[in-house]
Amino acid sequence: MHASRLSRRAVLAGTAAAAALTTVPPLQGRAHAAGVTAATPSYRWRNAVIGGTGFITGVLFHPAVRGLAYARTDIGGAYRWDERAARWTPLTDHLGWDDWNLLGVESLAVDPAHPDRLYLALGTYAQAWAGNGAVLRSEDRGATWTRTDLTVKLGGNEDGRGAGERLLVDPRDSGTLWLGTRHDGLLKSSDRGATWAVASGFPATASASGQGVTFLAAVGRAVYAGWGDGDGTATAVNLYRTTDGTTWEPVPGQPTGTSAKVPIRAAHDRHTRELYVTYADAPGPNGQAVGSVHKLATATDRWTDVTPVQPGASDTFGYGGVDVDARRAGTVVVSTNNRWADGDTVFRSTDGGRTWASLKDVAVFDVSETPFLDWGEDRPKFGWWIQALALDPYDSKHLVYGTGATLYGTRDLRRWAPRIRGLEETAVRRLISPPAGEAHLISGLGDIGVMYHERLTASPSRGMATNPVFGSATGLAQAAAKPAYVVRAGWGDHGNGAYSHDGGRTWAPFTAQPDIAKNAPGPIATSADGGTLLWSFVHWDGTKYAAHRSTDNGATWSEVSSFPKGATPVADPADPTLFYAYDTDTGTLHASTDSGRSFTARAGGLPSGDDQFQLAAAPGRSGDLWLSVKWNGLYRSTDGGVTFAKVASCWASYTLGFGKAADGADYPAVYQVGSTETITAVYRSDDAAGSWVRINDDAHQWGWIGEVITGDPRVYGRVYLGTNGRGIQYGEPV
């Protein structure tokens, strides 16, 4: 599920008290902003539970400590498994706004000889516009970190992110670490990750567009390196090794051809001294059509093809995850990947790959804890994008595998359930906190559409909103004077828009939709009384189209040519005849006084040039508008956008929302992600932005958080925050 976050799409739950009490020092010295005029309140932060919802790219059991495991994700950081609590503890929430690119975990490594040591290689994108990667090293299993910034870029959310591990503690010396990169060859550290240099003697030449080193594996005292930049020809080299830490050589007799073009993962059976390697014709998780599994007898360099099932013309796929049973010789598991025709599976062999059994064939699933995973018989049950696969070294029947949406586990190789408590990776796009009703929260999400949260501490019982099912949500709005009426827009399976008459519990698709909605669903708004809909359209490539209007609940639509193309429509919360839109191309506020039939320009000369500027209307008031324009600051209008004044109390504002007023206050609490002086953080104001207090702390920053924020209109101080990979965070004063 994930295709582009920040913004890519996400495939993507509840850090409870353990996360709220995490004590991680900031990695960079950042003082609290001098512009905060009141004492910073103490807040407790937790996830609104959904249950996974993202691509788990790697899981690693510690070989020497029972019950200790780590997981990595493509945009949501790393986690440690707490066996006693049976949940995951997030380890990278302390990474802040400036370090958003480090929330993608390229690889992780443990030291078999020193169980408390943990290493992370971080970097989400290897593109020119992204920052360089970094290595974090810990002596206390990720409770605290020391950081080394790299001079190269890593790609935790790029093609090949399910390969690995690319980071390895040398089996000969715990002080030596290896790091395989995508475009800069092999790096080596001789001081436990404090400094890094290009490894001399590694023979492969990196490609600017390739995969580079896809995995590193310890085999006795030797290190093997998968190489993903080969061309698949008979002379191509895709596997190297070193036995002395200095000299590297191609492994003799290695498989070649299209089905073995890219080595994905490897696992060593120490009992039989055999190395199992999975291959595909592309790095994945998408785009694989053929693949294979081979094992190498490391003592003799003899290769054997042990592929469980050969891909075919109508059943295309590659192979992804692989692991061996530390307790039973010759027992190995491998996963298919990108197998859409017949569905992905995990194969298991107990005889060294001579025969295999598909675990999918006998699998029984229980997804009652995370109902969004129950998609019916027309969708894959076992999962997809299976590249993370791990066997517990202390329990031969304890197996886990990651998918594009969650992490599944079993203890008997037959019954499976999500093993996901505490791990949330949703990319959050829209949030509504209704003023009344059962749910305090409705969310619009990347990859998993819209959810109705009856409780914040359990996955929504209805799962994803159906009729239609959305892949990703692009719009979500509630009628201010008629909160039972809610509308949503997004990429759907049977239409791209829907409405609800019961506050978001159940939905019905619009009877019709404009033609452009098929390819460019965008944000949507409803008038205060629910009588008028305005739907804006923006293609994923950025092309903007004319908005459309409906007054019959989506049965018919008419174009609104005067609406600024691509703008986000905002309904006045008190007057159903008023709508607003901010034209980011020209820096002009437009307004409609005839229920969205026509729009005219009002205030101009405002900041322009960024489509992510946000316009918000204060609840219960007509014409009270707030404009967040990122590093250009925050503006407010009290006359419906005729004039705007810049708010002096902050110099940057990225997203803004409102919640219940403080006792004795006559204005709603205002929440924002912004900057009052030196840092970008989460703030609350109880005096209409006269002053702000920071309400998150250095342990709870979550990288990029500039998409959406809203307060709870019924609970003073409670705020809901959308992250780009750490789900929905909600904070409450303590």
Side-chain angles (χ1 to χ4, degrees):
M1 258 167 121
H2 293 183
S4 86
R5 308 229 254 164
L6 196 89
S7 291
R8 292 184 20 136
R9 40 166 199 146
V11 153
L12 327 222
T15 9
L21 299 177
T22 301
T23 55
V24 183
L27 294 180
Q28 299 175 349
R30 289 173 177 171
H32 284 249
V36 176
T37 59
T40 300
S42 178
Y43 258 66
R44 183 189 191 195
W45 288 93
R46 290 173 286 178
N47 270 113
V49 175
I50 300 175
T53 69
F55 187 23
I56 313 299
T57 53
V59 176
L60 183 62
F61 284 100
H62 198 287
V65 181
R66 182 186 292 271
L68 179 59
Y70 298 94
R72 61 178 168 95
T73 66
D74 56 359
I75 65 168
Y79 296 79
R80 181 184 64 247
W81 178 250
D82 184 335
E83 181 75 5
R84 180 175 299 177
R87 65 183 299 110
W88 296 95
T89 298
L91 302 179
T92 47
D93 283 357
H94 62 285
L95 294 170
W97 181 269
D98 294 337
D99 291 322
W100 66 265
N101 190 54
L102 301 183
L103 264 292
V105 185
E106 181 81 288
S107 188
L108 53 83
V110 298
D111 188 336
H114 298 86
D116 290 340
R117 291 181 182 173
L118 174 66
Y119 302 91
L120 301 179
L122 306 179
T124 310
Y125 298 106
Q127 308 304 312
W129 44 262
N132 290 337
V135 171
L136 300 189
R137 54 196 191 278
S138 175
E139 297 282 347
D140 50 17
R141 304 185 184 186
T144 60
W145 297 98
T146 303
R147 169 173 166 174
T148 294
D149 289 317
L150 300 173
T151 58
V152 303
K153 299 178 187 299
L154 305 180
N157 193 34
E158 298 199 342
D159 286 348
R161 58 195 182 275
E165 296 293 329
R166 290 176 164 95
L167 183 63
L168 180 72
V169 175
D170 189 279
R172 303 162 57 95
D173 175 15
S174 288
T176 298
L177 273 72
W178 303 90
L179 175 60
T181 73
R182 294 163 180 269
H183 310 305
D184 298 278
L186 181 65
L187 305 185
K188 183 179 181 180
S189 171
S190 300
D191 51 14
R192 292 202 296 109
T195 60
W196 293 85
V198 174
S200 60
F202 190 72
T205 301
S207 165
S209 59
Q211 285 293 305
V213 178
T214 56
F215 68 74
L216 296 166
V219 178
R221 294 170 63 83
V223 174
Y224 285 69
W227 184 250
D229 285 357
D231 57 12
T233 63
T235 58
V237 177
N238 56 43
L239 191 64
Y240 295 89
R241 73 180 169 203
T242 180
T243 57
D244 60 7
T246 301
T247 305
W248 291 84
E249 63 177 359
V251 177
Q254 60 189 265
T256 58
T258 304
S259 66
K261 180 179 179 181
V262 181
I264 305 299
R265 286 180 173 266
H268 178 233
D269 187 333
R270 61 183 176 84
H271 300 288
T272 63
R273 299 173 66 188
E274 293 173 320
L275 181 70
Y276 292 84
V277 184
T278 57
Y279 293 90
D281 59 333
N286 283 316
Q288 295 175 336
V290 295
S292 59
V293 183
H294 298 260
K295 70 175 181 179
L296 168 69
T298 59
T300 62
D301 285 339
R302 177 175 178 269
W303 286 89
T304 304
D305 187 338
V306 293
T307 306
V309 174
Q310 295 290 344
S314 60
D315 186 20
T316 60
F317 58 92
Y319 281 92
V322 59
D323 206 357
V324 297
D325 191 331
R327 304 170 66 85
R328 298 182 179 181
T331 297
V332 59
V333 289
V334 299
S335 68
T336 63
N337 185 72
N338 202 48
R339 190 183 192 186
W340 296 103
D342 202 36
D344 278 309
T345 187
V346 172
F347 289 102
R348 180 174 182 262
S349 174
T350 57
D351 55 12
R354 287 189 293 273
T355 61
W356 297 88
S358 171
L359 298 185
K360 182 178 70 171
D361 295 344
V362 296
V364 177
F365 281 84
D366 178 4
V367 296
S368 57
E369 188 173 319
T370 52
F372 82 92
L373 292 169
D374 186 5
W375 294 328
E377 296 304 319
D378 62 331
R379 291 176 180 265
K381 190 70 172 180
F382 204 78
W384 70 101
W385 286 14
I386 303 176
Q387 294 187 294
L389 180 65
L391 265 171
D392 188 337
Y394 290 89
D395 184 349
S396 296
K397 292 186 177 181
H398 182 198
L399 175 64
V400 296
Y401 68 89
T403 76
T406 194
L407 182 74
Y408 285 111
T410 182
R411 291 190 181 272
D412 63 6
L413 302 179
R414 181 175 180 272
R415 292 171 296 178
W416 298 84
R419 193 68 54 79
I420 205 69
R421 292 178 187 174
L423 198 161
E424 293 283 351
E425 206 200 346
T426 321
V428 185
R429 299 291 176 247
R430 301 286 187 267
L431 294 172
I432 290 175
S433 184
E438 175 188 29
H440 279 254
L441 183 67
I442 306 171
S443 59
L445 311 165
D447 287 350
I448 56 171
V450 171
M451 291 195 178
Y452 178 90
H453 303 257
E454 308 97 325
R455 293 186 293 159
L456 301 176
T457 55
S459 187
S461 65
R462 295 171 178 82
M464 297 168 60
T466 57
N467 198 24
V469 170
F470 282 174
S472 291
T474 60
L476 183 63
Q478 186 172 43
K482 189 180 178 182
Y485 186 72
V486 188
V487 293
R488 59 185 174 101
W491 297 93
D493 56 358
H494 295 94
N496 290 346
Y499 65 92
S500 172
H501 281 304
D502 55 15
R505 286 190 291 269
T506 62
W507 297 85
F510 295 149
T511 305
Q513 65 180 20
D515 287 342
I516 192 58
K518 299 175 183 177
N519 300 311
I524 194 168
T526 174
S527 59
D529 62 0
T532 302
L533 303 180
L534 275 180
W535 197 355
S536 184
F537 301 103
V538 183
H539 195 265
W540 61 267
D541 65 4
T543 305
K544 303 174 183 179
Y545 300 91
H548 283 65
R549 172 179 181 268
S550 176
T551 57
D552 52 13
N553 209 35
T556 60
W557 297 86
S558 58
E559 182 178 312
V560 184
S561 59
S562 55
F563 184 92
K565 290 182 178 180
T568 298
V570 174
D572 190 279
D575 186 339
T577 68
L578 300 181
F579 283 91
Y580 311 97
Y582 186 66
D583 187 345
T584 59
D585 292 334
T586 64
T588 304
L589 189 287
H590 293 253
S592 171
T593 59
D594 56 5
S595 299
R597 294 180 181 84
S598 62
F599 282 78
T600 57
R602 289 189 173 177
L606 294 164
S608 61
D610 195 313
D611 288 340
Q612 302 304 310
F613 292 164
Q614 295 184 12
L615 181 68
R621 290 159 170 77
S622 183
D624 191 346
L625 305 177
W626 296 73
L627 181 62
S628 294
V629 284
K630 293 189 171 182
W631 50 86
N632 294 292
L634 177 64
Y635 290 77
R636 184 185 178 191
S637 172
T638 56
D639 55 13
V642 176
T643 60
F644 276 88
K646 192 169 187 179
V647 176
S649 57
C650 64
W651 65 266
S653 181
Y654 297 89
T655 183
L656 180 138
F658 306 92
K660 184 178 180 180
D663 288 344
D666 60 358
Y667 198 84
V670 184
Y671 299 90
Q672 74 160 336
V673 174
S675 305
T676 64
E677 190 171 330
T678 59
I679 58 171
T680 298
V682 186
Y683 293 93
R684 188 190 76 223
S685 175
D686 294 332
D687 57 6
S691 62
W692 300 91
V693 292
R694 183 186 178 191
I695 58 175
N696 72 324
D697 54 54
D698 289 343
H700 300 89
Q701 298 195 79
W702 315 288
W704 191 81
I705 51 176
E707 184 79 18
V708 62
I709 191 171
T710 189
D712 193 309
R714 290 177 273 176
V715 182
Y716 168 70
R718 182 188 289 174
V719 59
Y720 306 97
L721 175 68
T723 73
N724 190 62
R726 275 290 288 120
I728 304 165
Q729 300 288 335
Y730 75 99
E732 297 178 295
V734 295

